[in-house]
Amino acid sequence: MYRENCYSCRYTGMHRNGDLLLADWYRDRSAPEIKFQDHSVNSIFVCSDSGEAFLEHLVKNGYIQVFERPLSEALKIQRTLHKPTERSPLRDQFLSIYKETKDFDKSIRRACRGLIRKKKINHYLKVSYIKCIAVKLFNLGE
């Protein structure tokens, strides 16, 4: 859940006031794979000459490793680089329940009950389908 102002953020986009933009890194499954350990991986976007100089300093002195990727790859995966976060239709429901209960866990479970149920049903259907195929393939039902 985000603060209300995140849904109309004026800082989305690549034109920023800062020198560097740090973000979570998400791999585009259609892009070529990069070989590195998946922990401690972030995206760094250079927004100014000062940012570029600082990043080069970090790389040159061995503080970080950099694997350059096309900007289009990040824009495809990270929507907040070109538009604000979308407001969840469950947000107001959660806040209303939370105001009443003051219990985060209880509020999130009640607000997302339908979503959680749907995910459990979908998981069950996938497992059942796989079991059905296994029975047919291996004649387990006989």
Side-chain angles (χ1 to χ4, degrees):
M1 176 165 357
Y2 296 98
R3 295 175 64 114
E4 187 62 41
N5 60 346
C6 291
Y7 305 115
S8 57
C9 182
R10 61 188 175 144
Y11 298 107
T12 58
M14 292 306 298
H15 303 290
R16 308 278 177 136
N17 292 332
D19 297 316
L20 295 172
L21 169 63
L22 302 178
D24 291 329
W25 184 79
Y26 301 100
R27 185 170 93 74
D28 178 1
R29 300 272 181 233
S30 65
E33 193 168 338
I34 305 171
K35 299 290 183 198
F36 57 82
Q37 295 177 344
D38 276 342
H39 66 284
S40 301
V41 177
N42 292 310
S43 295
I44 303 174
F45 301 94
V46 176
C47 302
S48 71
D49 292 338
S50 298
E52 187 166 353
F54 183 65
L55 185 62
E56 286 174 7
H57 167 78
L58 294 174
V59 172
K60 188 170 105 176
N61 290 296
Y63 293 111
I64 62 172
Q65 281 185 304
V66 172
F67 299 92
E68 196 166 331
R69 307 296 299 167
L71 180 60
S72 59
E73 196 175 287
L75 291 172
K76 180 178 171 185
I77 300 294
Q78 298 182 5
R79 292 175 299 207
T80 55
L81 291 175
H82 50 85
K83 69 177 189 174
T85 300
E86 290 182 25
R87 196 173 207 280
S88 168
L90 300 174
R91 185 179 194 278
D92 291 335
Q93 186 178 356
F94 166 80
L95 290 174
S96 173
I97 296 167
Y98 184 76
K99 191 181 230 182
E100 174 189 314
T101 66
K102 301 290 187 233
D103 182 325
F104 181 88
D105 292 337
K106 185 184 286 186
S107 301
I108 204 75
R109 278 194 305 272
R110 279 180 48 196
C112 297
R113 188 176 292 148
L115 183 63
I116 293 167
R117 191 176 299 130
K118 181 180 175 184
K119 288 196 180 283
K120 283 181 180 178
I121 290 170
N122 283 342
H123 175 74
Y124 174 76
L125 290 174
K126 286 177 188 173
V127 169
S128 296
Y129 181 70
I130 291 168
K131 285 180 182 177
C132 180
I133 290 173
V135 166
K136 288 179 181 179
L137 282 175
F138 302 109
N139 296 320
L140 299 175
E142 297 175 3

